[in-house]
């Protein structure tokens, strides 16, 4: 006896089509996992960029780039370079060009 393949009825075909349509609809409603990963990456990148910009530029107006202690260190370095290392181009006319000492 020869095996006969069962004939697919229209009800089975309809069930298969409904299942495929439901699966397609569900995947479009929930979003693909890759799309969610990209969206999370973009959101985290935006938050990181905003945090960085706020932390860099929020306090810039309050303190400035060159505070008096930094200017003092820069001036002492210039005077040391001028007198001990021979950098004569760093001399300031009318300014204090002496070598700094521990007492002064």
């Amino acid at each position: 006896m020869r095996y006969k393949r069962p004939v697919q009825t229209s009800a089975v075909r309809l069930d298969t089509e409904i299942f495929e349509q439901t699966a397609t609809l569900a995947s479009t409603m929930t979003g693909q996992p890759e799309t969610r990963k990209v969206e999370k990456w973009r959101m985290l990148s935006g938050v990181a960029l905003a945090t960085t910009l706020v932390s860099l530029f929020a306090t810039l107006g309050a303190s400035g780039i060159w505070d008096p202690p930094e200017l003092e260190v820069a001036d002492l370095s210039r005077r040391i370079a001028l007198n001990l290392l021979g950098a004569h181009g760093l001399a300031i006319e009318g300014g204090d060009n002496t070598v700094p000492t521990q007492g002064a």
Side-chain angles (χ1 to χ4, degrees), residues 2 4 7 10 13 22 32 36 39 47 66 69 74 77 81 99 103:
R2 192 168 185 197
K4 291 185 180 180
V7 178
S10 61
R13 241 183 262 138
T22 306
Q32 299 296 328
R36 284 185 272 168
E39 289 173 1
V47 169
W66 290 96
S77 301
V99 177

Side-chain angles (χ1 to χ4, degrees), residues 24 32 42 56 95 97:
T24 305
Q32 299 296 328
R42 285 183 183 165
L56 286 176
N97 291 319

